Amino acid sequence: MNKRGLILVISGFSGVGKGTVVRRLMEQYKQYALSVSVTTRPPREGEVHGKDYFFISEEEFSVMEAEGRLMEWAGYVGRHYGTPRDYVFERLDEGKDMILEIEVQGALQIKEKYPEAILVFVAPPRAAVLKERLLGRGTESVEQVEKRLLRAVEESESMGAYDYLLINDDLPTCVEELHQIMQCEHRKMRVNGELLDDIKLDLKRFVEGE
Amino acid sequence: MNKRGLILVISGFSGVGKGTVVRRLMEQYKQYALSVSVTTRPPREGEVHGKDYFFISEEEFSVMEAEGRLMEWAGYVGRHYGTPRDYVFERLDEGKDMILEIEVQGALQIKEKYPEAILVFVAPPRAAVLKERLLGRGTESVEQVEKRLLRAVEESESMGAYDYLLINDDLPTCVEELHQIMQCEHRKMRVNGELLDDIKLDLKRFVEGE
């Protein structure tokens, strides 16, 4: 299997539990690391620079964008968010599979620029489950939940562009399936050029040495 | 996951143990079935029509080929061999993942006509292992083994066209990895159009019903 890390883009409706899936995946397997986004919004209470986000100015953001140092970016209520290319690629070189937990528009940007990225969409077994989970958080009003559900309907129109569909019914199963997808992606011929060359060379040398 | 079966093409150097991998896979998981080839060579002692091969005449073979009823075919020492399309597709419709254990040239034909087919190449951990296994069979002369190794060198040039590279070092591991590849392929978005539509519809209905 190849040593270099792969880019895993994970999206899903709000409330589907993708954050929990990602956290569990990283707890169970050391090969994964989570990308840290840059943002121009100010840090909230308790947020740590370089852990939750890289907090940067609008000017710094513009420079990064202009220099092609953002893998994807988006604006949201007057603030900007983006995925820093160098942060991700340095860790890919170290052999980490880099997880980008981003929304649909960002995911599509990634797929266009980095077609080798693996896009996984996490869906609930039924829409009703989504609502239960959102209400179960206890932090959101019924109106906010309604809004998120409407957004899910919108997002569902872009699901077809993803590589894999994962149903988060049972959490451990979902984590295991996601890990298996990544294991299989590491066995793809196109990421194993080096191993392929080794096999060819070994075979040739062996036959010539006979 | 989708219900319809997928086409799995499996190739590998002579002696790599792909036959054993396939047999084990089918013993352990009921979702797989092996394609039965047509051939114009006469049956050998003990071979059963419809199990080992479908034994047909050169005329019948020509008609099948002309009518596009062969997924791939090849000539070998004056005889013809091919994969019957209807046999494979009927079982795909029944939900079986159909295994085509064929050589490189046939595999490339399949990939061209059926780009959705999954091509897996099984390689040995080292070329030396290949020789050991070939000699270990005890049925082949040193010359025959040498010939097979030379052929492996040739075949290795086409490995890059396969989707996955699988190393058969430990048999149970190799079987498990092959099964995982197929499980992952069943989670591909492109084979889950129906499930995708169901999710969208469920979501829309749920939100409208709110």
Side-chain angles (χ1 to χ4, degrees), chain A residues 126-127 131 146 152 156 159 162-165 177 180-181 184 187-189 196 200 202-203 210, chain B residues 126-127 131 146 152 156 159 162-165 177 180-181 184 187-189 196 200 202-203 210:
Chain A
R126 290 169 311 284
K131 192 182 176 186
E146 297 298 313
S156 72
M159 283 172 69
Y162 282 69
D163 297 310
Y164 292 97
L165 177 58
E177 288 178 351
Q180 280 185 13
I181 286 172
C184 289
R187 291 190 191 102
K188 280 270 173 82
M189 192 65 80
L196 179 57
K200 284 185 191 174
D202 169 53
L203 197 60
E210 288 288 293
Chain B
R126 289 169 312 283
K131 192 182 176 184
E146 297 298 313
S156 72
M159 281 172 70
Y162 282 69
D163 297 309
Y164 293 95
L165 177 58
E177 288 177 354
Q180 279 184 13
I181 285 172
C184 290
R187 291 189 191 101
K188 281 270 174 83
M189 194 66 81
L196 178 57
K200 284 186 193 174
D202 170 52
L203 198 59
E210 287 288 293

Side-chain angles (χ1 to χ4, degrees), chain A residues 131-149:
Chain A
K131 192 182 176 186
E132 280 165 32
R133 290 185 193 164
L134 284 168
L135 288 174
R137 288 179 180 178
T139 57
E140 294 179 60
S141 67
V142 176
E143 288 74 31
Q144 278 173 317
V145 169
E146 297 298 313
K147 244 188 184 166
R148 288 188 187 277
L149 288 172

Side-chain angles (χ1 to χ4, degrees), chain A:
Chain A
M1 292 213 307
N2 78 316
K3 301 267 165 54
R4 196 167 186 273
L6 302 173
I7 302 169
L8 166 61
V9 173
I10 187 157
S11 304
F13 309 131
S14 183
V16 79
K18 58 186 180 302
T20 312
V21 170
V22 166
R23 207 168 51 243
R24 285 280 190 103
L25 182 72
M26 292 199 299
E27 282 166 10
Q28 287 181 30
Y29 303 100
K30 294 306 165 199
Q31 77 193 63
Y32 301 100
L34 194 60
S35 169
V36 176
S37 295
V38 297
T39 182
T40 63
R41 78 156 168 76
R44 289 180 196 140
E45 184 72 33
E47 281 186 336
V48 178
H49 179 83
K51 188 172 168 263
D52 298 294
Y53 282 99
F54 292 105
F55 298 98
I56 62 175
S57 68
E58 286 291 343
E59 291 69 32
E60 288 172 298
F61 192 94
S62 297
V63 170
M64 286 187 82
E65 203 273 306
E67 294 181 351
R69 285 159 51 210
L70 293 174
M71 295 176 69
E72 57 83 34
W73 67 271
Y76 182 66
V77 289
R79 303 298 191 174
H80 289 100
Y81 298 79
T83 301
R85 186 198 57 192
D86 295 350
Y87 183 88
V88 171
F89 275 75
E90 279 162 20
R91 278 150 194 82
L92 291 175
D93 289 340
E94 290 165 7
K96 289 284 185 190
D97 286 334
M98 289 303 290
I99 306 174
L100 277 55
E101 199 190 320
I102 52 183
E103 41 64 75
V104 169
Q105 292 313 315
L108 300 182
Q109 284 182 51
I110 295 283
K111 193 69 188 173
E112 203 177 312
K113 284 197 226 171
Y114 309 93
E116 74 276 18
I118 300 133
L119 270 61
V120 176
F121 199 96
V122 187
R126 290 169 311 284
V129 171
L130 213 55
K131 192 182 176 186
E132 280 165 32
R133 290 185 193 164
L134 284 168
L135 288 174
R137 288 179 180 178
T139 57
E140 294 179 60
S141 67
V142 176
E143 288 74 31
Q144 278 173 317
V145 169
E146 297 298 313
K147 244 188 184 166
R148 288 188 187 277
L149 288 172
L150 280 170
R151 177 134 189 226
V153 173
E154 258 178 62
E155 287 174 339
S156 72
E157 290 307 317
S158 302
M159 283 172 69
Y162 282 69
D163 297 310
Y164 292 97
L165 177 58
L166 211 53
I167 306 296
N168 186 13
D169 195 352
D170 173 62
L171 180 63
T173 305
C174 188
V175 170
E176 208 42 47
E177 288 178 351
L178 184 54
H179 179 59
Q180 280 185 13
I181 286 172
M182 295 307 288
Q183 294 294 94
C184 289
E185 287 289 336
H186 275 283
R187 291 190 191 102
K188 280 270 173 82
M189 192 65 80
R190 62 172 174 77
V191 297
N192 279 293
E194 230 170 283
L195 178 54
L196 179 57
D197 288 343
D198 287 349
I199 292 172
K200 284 185 191 174
L201 195 64
D202 169 53
L203 197 60
K204 219 169 265 178
R205 279 192 185 146
F206 184 78
V207 170
E208 282 166 2
E210 288 288 293

Side-chain angles (χ1 to χ4, degrees), chain B residues 11 60 167:
Chain B
S11 305
E60 287 171 299
I167 307 296

